[in-house]
Amino acid sequence: FKSFHKLRVPFGASKLSFAASTFWTEWEAPSYIDLALLKNGTIDDEDAVNPTDGGDQNSQLFSARYRHRADTPNELSATLYARRLDWQRFRSDFLISPTQTQVQQTDERWTLGYRVEKNVGHTLFGRRSMFVAGTTLHRDDADTRIANTLNRELLRVTDEGPLQLTSISAFAQEHLQLADRLKVMGGLRYSRVDYEIGDALRAPGTFVSEYSNSQVSPKAGIAFAPVRQVDVYANVATGMRSPTPRTEVRNSIGSLGR
């Protein structure tokens, strides 16, 4: 089931819009079955190894977008968003029977964020150019759990704890029209991630509970248009990959920072 609603509100030379959507889904057990049992008719091709595998997801997304001087060389745009997620999955990673345990994963979180971007059209070295600058923020507040279950009944919790993940960035880049068919681009991006990680099963000091890192990344590119509406381009850039909070951060008590 999915529904989507959107409202646009004009505001002078600006455009303001709101959007909201909700999504719900449920799925059955995806797994392997025994070929010999299938051939002798004991099971059919729609049977699952563990019929209690599967899961469900329920999420809602809300957003607002503001555009000032929209569709002009000097447009200012800002997007705010919030998302709620309630997700769980039961799975079996190997061939088992319904009398053996499975793994349950749950993830309940709120996500908040924004993106603001400003374009400035101008001339540079006597050529048309566009300067673009902006900033972004993305914040996750989550409660996650992993447990052993039997027929979806809880047996033992193996991993549980809150996660607070924050990433911010600021960027600036210049797009210069060197010739009618030739453009060049150069820019910089600053990125930072901050993690706060809890563990309901382990004592403080036996896991990494905080992590922060930042990086400045350059970018350069060139685009050539041999004919109208066709661009051939090449870019070179560096970036920063955020580590996974559970395995690469929380469990790296002896190696983080090396």
Side-chain angles (χ1 to χ4, degrees), residues 166-169 190-194 212-215 240 242:
T166 305
S167 62
I168 61 173
S169 72
Y190 170 80
S191 303
R192 179 181 175 87
V193 295
D194 293 283
S212 297
N213 197 11
S214 62
Q215 179 175 309
M240 182 176 71
S242 302

Side-chain angles (χ1 to χ4, degrees), residues 143-187:
D143 286 297
T144 64
R145 188 180 75 169
I146 299 177
N148 290 333
T149 59
L150 178 62
N151 294 325
R152 298 200 176 189
E153 295 294 330
L154 178 65
L155 296 178
R156 182 173 67 96
V157 176
T158 60
D159 192 304
E160 185 175 14
L163 304 173
Q164 294 179 343
L165 318 177
T166 305
S167 62
I168 61 173
S169 72
F171 59 89
Q173 54 190 31
E174 188 79 30
H175 300 256
L176 175 62
Q177 187 86 41
L178 283 180
D180 290 342
R181 298 185 178 183
L182 183 63
K183 298 178 183 178
V184 294
M185 182 271 292

Side-chain angles (χ1 to χ4, degrees), residues 15 34 54 74 83 90 96 102 108 120 127 132 144 150 154 167 187 208 223 225-226 232 242 244 249:
K15 293 183 179 179
D34 191 301
N74 295 295
R83 179 177 183 242
F90 296 87
I96 64 173
Q102 60 201 165
E108 299 179 2
V120 180
R127 297 284 185 176
V132 182
T144 64
L150 178 62
L154 178 65
S167 62
V208 177
V232 179
S242 302
T244 57
V249 176

Side-chain angles (χ1 to χ4, degrees), residues 191-250:
S191 303
R192 179 181 175 87
V193 295
D194 293 283
Y195 290 175
E196 295 180 21
I197 306 171
D199 195 311
L201 305 180
R202 287 189 279 183
T206 62
F207 62 94
V208 177
S209 60
E210 295 182 351
Y211 172 82
S212 297
N213 197 11
S214 62
Q215 179 175 309
V216 176
S217 306
K219 180 180 181 180
I222 186 171
F224 175 70
V227 296
R228 291 184 60 184
Q229 299 182 338
V230 175
D231 285 343
V232 179
Y233 64 90
N235 292 323
V236 59
T238 61
M240 182 176 71
R241 183 186 73 85
S242 302
T244 57
R246 176 174 286 111
T247 56
E248 295 181 311
V249 176
R250 189 186 56 181

Side-chain angles (χ1 to χ4, degrees), residues 39-82:
K39 287 182 176 180
N40 66 26
T42 304
I43 60 175
D44 64 42
D45 58 2
E46 294 186 355
D47 285 339
V49 173
N50 192 324
T52 61
D53 280 2
D56 57 81
Q57 176 179 318
N58 183 14
S59 64
Q60 291 79 41
L61 175 64
F62 310 92
S63 66
R65 190 182 187 200
Y66 172 77
R67 299 175 67 195
H68 179 65
R69 303 186 70 177
D71 303 319
T72 72
N74 295 295
E75 178 176 342
L76 169 67
S77 63
T79 302
L80 306 175
Y81 60 89

